[in-house]
């Protein structure tokens, strides 16, 4: 499916449809670094330039300390060298806004553990999805990647005890330490067990995330994204 933010009525005159297609395929900018992925797990299990770009955008528009990314449920994605609006809409298929909340270190760890619980080691000794989460529907898309912290997850450990490293600025995050965190407006509802995100927002963007991403790419082209944290 090709997601878009604009509903196109098939009864519209061809001229309007052609105008939309031109808008969709217009190049916003380019990247000098690799921002694409071609398998589902890579951006979910290690630091990549693609995910870093998403974090950089969210932190730029909110000035939060930490960033949370809910990745689209795609087996391939990211951006090629020349980035179009169509590429952005593929990577941001929903009309979410950015929301900044305040979280404690304990809440951050709880959110990380919830995300870590969707994974398991299968019979082939590979990272796979756990069928025990949200049974009988595994819902593997309920998973976040964090930016602004260095963290490691050990899948050999029991769920709830998998976050073995969680550092901010090189120091272990403390239980009562406070952080400003940017998430999307859907995550801010606290759905799917993420009750730690359901708080009174400190601020919320007036524009949708895809619009912000388009502006960010245009302003910073050519993109030279580099990873900043270890995951």
């Amino acid at each position: 499916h090709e997601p878009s933010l604009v509903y196109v009525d098939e009864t519209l005159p061809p001229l309007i449809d052609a105008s939309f297609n031109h808008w969709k395929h217009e190049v916003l900018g380019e990247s000098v670094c690799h921002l694409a992925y071609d398998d589902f797990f890579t951006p979910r299990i290690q630091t990549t330039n693609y995910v870093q770009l998403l974090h950089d955008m969210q932190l730029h528009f909110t000035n939060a300390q930490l960033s949370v990314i809910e990745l689209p449920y795609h087996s391939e994605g990211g951006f090629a060298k020349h980035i179009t609006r169509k590429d952005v809409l593929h990577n941001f298929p929903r009309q979410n806004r950015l929301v900044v909340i305040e979280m404690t270190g304990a809440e951050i760890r709880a959110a990380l553990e919830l995300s870590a619980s969707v994974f398991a080691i299968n019979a082939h000794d590979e990272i796979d999805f756990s069928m025990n989460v949200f049974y009988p529907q595994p819902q593997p898309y309920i998973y976040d990647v964090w930016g602004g912290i260095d963290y490691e997850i050990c899948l050999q450990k029991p769920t709830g005890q998998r976050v073995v490293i969680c550092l901010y600025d090189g120091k272990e995050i403390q239980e009562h330490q406070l952080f400003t965190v940017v998430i999307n407006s859907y995550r801010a509802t606290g759905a799917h067990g993420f009750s730690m995100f359901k708080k009174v927002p400190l601020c919320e963007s007036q524009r949708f995330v895809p619009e912000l991403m388009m502006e960010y790419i245009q302003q910073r082209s050519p993109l030279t994204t580099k990873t900043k944290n270890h995951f």
Side-chain angles (χ1 to χ4, degrees), residues 2-5 8 17-28 83-89 214:
E2 184 179 286
S4 75
L5 298 178
V8 179
D17 191 36
S19 178
F20 169 71
N21 280 325
H22 179 269
W23 175 88
K24 186 172 62 173
H25 291 284
E26 184 179 352
V27 174
L28 298 169
I83 305 170
T84 66
R85 287 190 174 89
K86 178 183 176 181
D87 298 327
V88 174
L89 297 177
M214 291 177 191

Side-chain angles (χ1 to χ4, degrees), residues 108-193:
I108 290 170
R109 279 186 172 272
L112 290 171
E113 291 287 0
L114 184 57
S115 285
S117 69
V118 308
F119 290 135
I121 303 296
N122 64 24
H124 303 288
D125 201 31
E126 300 168 333
I127 295 177
D128 207 337
F129 290 113
S130 170
M131 296 301 293
N132 298 319
V133 182
F134 304 108
Y135 184 84
Q137 299 296 325
Q139 301 184 48
Y141 50 84
I142 301 179
Y143 175 78
D144 295 322
V145 181
W146 285 64
I149 58 175
D150 298 295
Y151 67 106
E152 289 186 7
I153 290 169
C154 179
L155 296 183
Q156 284 79 10
K157 291 184 175 293
T159 56
Q161 303 174 36
R162 291 179 164 180
V163 180
V164 294
I165 293 177
C166 188
L167 308 175
Y168 176 74
D169 199 21
K171 299 178 181 178
E172 193 72 23
I173 289 179
Q174 301 302 306
E175 183 176 351
H176 299 292
Q177 193 174 357
L178 295 176
F179 296 89
T180 53
V181 181
V182 54
I183 59 178
N184 69 49
S185 51
Y186 177 71
R187 271 289 181 262
T189 65
H192 303 296

